[in-house]
Amino acid sequence: MTTITADTAKTTAADTGFIAIPEKTARLLATAGGILTVISCFLSWTWTAAFPGDLTVYGYPGGLQWLVLIGGALTTVFGLASYGIKGLRWLTPAGADAALKLAALAAFATAWYTIITITVTLGGVVNLEPGGYIVAVVTLLALTGALALPFERPALDAPDPDDTPWEQRKHHLGNTWTTVKAALATDTPRPARTLPAWAEILLIAAVLAVTLGVFTYGITTPYQELFLGFLITAGFGFAALNKAGLLARFTALTAKHRNVALVGAFAAAAAFPLTQTDDQYATLGVNILIFATVALGLNIVVGLTGLLDLGYVAFLGVGAYTAALVSGSPNSPFGVHLPFWAAILLGAAASMVFGVLIGAPTLRLRGDYLAIVTLGFGEIFRISMNNLDGVSGPDLTNGPNGIAGVPNVDLFGFDFGANHTIAGFTVGRFANYFLLMLLVTLIVIMVFRRSAESRIGRAWVAIREDETAAEAMGINGFRVKLVAFALGATLAGLAGAVQAHVNYTVTPDQYVFANAVPPNSAFLLAAVVLGGMGTISGPLVGGALLFMIPNKLQFLGEYQLLVFGIALVILMRLRPEGLIPNRRNQLELRADLEAPTVLGKTGV
């Protein structure tokens, strides 16, 4: 296999800046603007505490000022790193100028959003204090300087998409630490300095802790202005870190210490309910986890196998209804109360059976025809649950009223509906279910991971890429797709069984194709595409965002879906491969990325 080595690493031609300012002046302007932005956050921006967050205090930031402070700090760090300061160069393995532009844009957008909101809410610019004018000017200056900078982006050697996962990880690790360093070197290329294993593990733990802090901050924002500011800062900040190459570097570390990273991520997520003093945000957290887990199950069908399923939420409903019917609900006609472990297994098995029953006669269809059939199945399930009310059909599901009174889980003597004290922390009902659902999520991740790296997983990818060619090579396309359909349905059934106990009630209107409140099939599909098809972390991140953001945007009323849809269109236009892309999909969807320089396994 022929690859580009560190000695032959190259950079693309420098992009020119948007504004005609000498480079040295622009760099100084951007860096100084970042420093002044940080200082301005310690000034008063308005004279009255009527605006949320109390921005009237000198010497201490409050509310949205913290977000502008973070944007200013990133601008300062990337600005200093662009001068080639040795201690900061490690933070920008892919170059500092592109990251500097986005960091300055984060500070500018958040600051001007705050100033405009203060002006509109309080009735004029007269309500601004000097600090408000100062932060508006200095963020504009920083953005002007950043946009005037040219930058060079190193063209890194990409791994062969046909490599096995082990070969890709090995290839990626070698290029991350060697090729990037050589590409950025101004003199003779020198080998990258690696960290000790214990330092890399500590770095992974620190990044996971910061991620937990960011997620907790976002989910617990108490007012709408702060949440919108958080979205602006987090969006541009994430993009800046990605342009700097830090996300690629962290990905390399997690690939090197894969099991450590998985355990650390699980521990960080488990710590979330311990940070909550009531069930308000723990409720949102457990529902996010349910939605993200179902999206990961759908990723097997859509991301790995390439089957467009528009009725996937019905499998979530099958698991929820099955668990509700056998868990002792007074509305259940069966009158049985199985233990939770039996109910969740039964819910998963019922979803698997329905997956096989629906998939067997339909999976010989392809493309849009399969999508229409799955959409019809989703609607048939919802209508059937409405009609099984004893009037239009057998008395099984209580019709549109659903199955209410699903009891709390009592697993091996542990009542999930009661408060418990763990290590001095009081864990409430929804926090208990969050931890339970986290365990289910871990099981789903392990199943997805082992399946994707197995022989059947490679067959799924082959079917996705070209079903005709895969069948010509001896793959039984129908059987492989049926396994994917059944496995995806099973994982959705696991989450549905937990959802029935979390919500107490299961009703047909929870399982529709599209509405303003997830989970539904449209949002689940969007979560997979937005997060990154074929990856593990992509649907989890996409599902978390697509559940949290609509819940936080409820103040927009009837314009909620309009604003949300516009944001999705813009995001997918800028990053069609998703937030955490699969490398193969990224190369297919991004024309600006260089394809891997390989001749194939046989060297032909």
Side-chain angles (χ1 to χ4, degrees):
M1 179 169 60
T2 304
T3 60
I4 298 176
T5 63
D7 296 330
T8 59
K10 59 185 180 295
T11 58
T12 60
D15 296 329
T16 58
F18 292 101
I19 302 174
I21 298 178
E23 182 178 344
K24 291 184 178 180
T25 304
R27 198 175 304 279
L28 178 61
L29 190 62
T31 307
I35 296 173
L36 293 176
T37 299
V38 173
I39 296 175
S40 66
C41 294
F42 292 86
L43 304 176
S44 172
W45 290 4
T46 180
W47 63 272
T48 173
F51 188 80
D54 194 6
L55 310 184
T56 64
V57 180
Y58 282 89
Y60 186 81
L64 285 159
Q65 289 176 326
W66 282 108
L67 300 176
V68 179
L69 175 63
I70 293 173
L74 288 176
T75 304
T76 303
V77 169
F78 290 135
L80 295 175
S82 69
Y83 283 99
I85 298 176
K86 187 175 181 180
L88 296 177
R89 192 169 182 176
W90 189 89
L91 297 175
T92 55
D97 288 354
L100 177 58
K101 298 175 190 289
L102 290 167
L105 186 57
F108 170 81
T110 309
W112 279 72
Y113 162 73
T114 305
I115 298 306
I116 293 174
T117 305
I118 291 174
T119 302
V120 173
T121 302
L122 301 182
V125 295
V126 68
N127 294 284
L128 296 175
E129 285 286 280
Y133 297 103
I134 292 174
V135 73
V137 173
V138 297
T139 53
L140 179 60
L141 292 177
L143 181 63
T144 301
L147 293 179
L149 288 174
F151 68 94
E152 294 182 352
R153 179 181 302 169
L156 306 181
D157 177 27
D160 182 3
D162 294 325
D163 282 342
T164 65
W166 169 252
E167 290 172 330
Q168 288 188 12
R169 288 196 296 271
K170 182 179 178 181
H171 180 86
H172 182 62
L173 288 171
N175 281 284
T176 299
W177 298 105
T178 304
T179 307
V180 177
K181 191 79 172 185
L184 295 177
T186 57
D187 48 8
T188 303
R190 51 188 182 273
R193 182 175 58 185
T194 59
L195 297 175
W198 62 267
E200 292 177 344
I201 293 174
L202 287 179
L203 184 60
I204 291 174
V207 172
L208 292 175
V210 171
T211 304
L212 172 63
V214 172
F215 175 77
T216 303
Y217 184 87
I219 203 173
T220 58
T221 48
Y223 49 92
Q224 63 193 41
E225 293 86 356
L226 185 61
F227 180 73
L228 291 176
F230 167 79
L231 286 182
I232 295 172
T233 304
F236 286 116
F238 175 85
L241 296 176
N242 182 52
K243 286 291 186 181
L246 284 176
L247 296 184
R249 174 160 284 176
F250 179 70
T251 301
L253 289 179
T254 56
K256 184 177 180 180
H257 305 280
R258 194 172 186 180
N259 293 328
V260 172
L262 182 61
V263 173
F266 181 80
F272 167 73
L274 303 180
T275 64
Q276 307 304 309
T277 56
D278 57 51
D279 277 344
Q280 178 183 2
Y281 299 114
T283 305
L284 184 57
V286 69
N287 284 294
I288 286 176
L289 210 52
I290 292 172
F291 183 71
T293 302
V294 178
L296 185 58
L298 178 61
N299 197 28
I300 293 178
V301 180
V302 176
L304 293 182
T305 318
L307 304 176
L308 185 55
D309 188 348
L310 299 182
Y312 187 77
V313 75
F315 297 122
L316 176 70
V318 170
Y321 265 98
T322 302
L325 288 170
V326 299
S327 294
S329 169
N331 297 121
S332 173
F334 300 129
V336 296
H337 189 177
L338 299 180
F340 175 71
W341 63 265
I344 192 172
L345 291 178
L346 198 58
S351 294
M352 180 185 67
V353 170
F354 270 86
V356 173
L357 291 177
I358 298 301
T362 62
L363 286 178
R364 300 188 186 279
L365 300 173
R366 298 185 184 183
D368 298 339
Y369 301 101
L370 178 62
I372 293 172
V373 169
T374 55
L375 176 61
F377 164 65
E379 287 301 297
I380 289 172
F381 170 78
R382 181 182 62 83
I383 295 172
S384 298
M385 295 302 102
N386 263 317
N387 291 339
L388 297 179
D389 57 356
V391 178
S392 301
D395 186 8
L396 185 63
T397 64
N398 203 25
N401 294 323
I403 302 175
V406 180
N408 284 303
V409 173
D410 192 329
L411 190 60
F412 305 115
F414 186 89
D415 186 0
F416 282 76
N419 292 339
H420 300 275
T421 301
I422 302 176
F425 295 94
T426 300
V427 182
R429 177 181 182 271
F430 286 101
N432 293 330
Y433 280 109
F434 182 92
L435 296 175
L436 174 63
M437 193 59 217
L438 189 61
L439 180 60
V440 175
T441 303
L442 182 62
I443 295 173
V444 172
I445 289 175
M446 296 302 296
V447 171
F448 183 94
R449 173 178 162 184
R450 300 298 295 177
S451 300
E453 296 180 358
S454 67
R455 181 179 179 182
I456 189 69
R458 293 192 294 271
W460 288 338
V461 174
I463 290 292
R464 183 191 69 193
E465 296 301 316
D466 192 325
E467 184 173 349
T468 303
E471 291 179 345
M473 296 301 294
I475 296 176
N476 188 326
F478 172 75
R479 185 176 62 186
V480 167
K481 291 190 292 183
L482 187 60
V483 170
F485 217 69
L487 182 57
T490 303
L491 299 181
L494 287 174
V498 178
Q499 185 195 43
H501 292 85
V502 170
N503 295 337
Y504 288 126
T505 302
V506 181
T507 57
D509 57 4
Q510 296 175 354
Y511 310 105
V512 298
F513 170 71
N515 58 19
V517 181
N520 55 68
S521 292
F523 271 73
L524 285 170
L525 183 61
V528 174
V529 177
L530 172 65
M533 294 190 295
T535 64
I536 293 178
S537 53
L540 296 177
V541 173
L545 291 176
L546 289 186
F547 193 95
M548 179 174 66
I549 293 176
N551 276 272
K552 290 288 188 177
L553 294 182
Q554 291 182 1
F555 65 90
L556 293 176
E558 59 185 3
Y559 298 103
Q560 176 184 345
L561 282 179
L562 174 63
V563 174
F564 188 62
I566 293 174
L568 283 181
V569 169
I570 294 174
L571 183 59
M572 296 311 300
R573 174 63 183 86
L574 298 177
R575 197 171 178 84
E577 71 273 25
L579 297 176
I580 306 177
N582 174 275
R583 181 61 179 170
R584 183 192 298 269
N585 293 340
Q586 190 176 34
L587 290 173
E588 291 176 356
L589 295 172
R590 291 285 296 275
D592 58 324
L593 294 178
E594 183 177 349
T597 309
V598 295
L599 297 178
K601 296 296 182 183
T602 61
V604 177

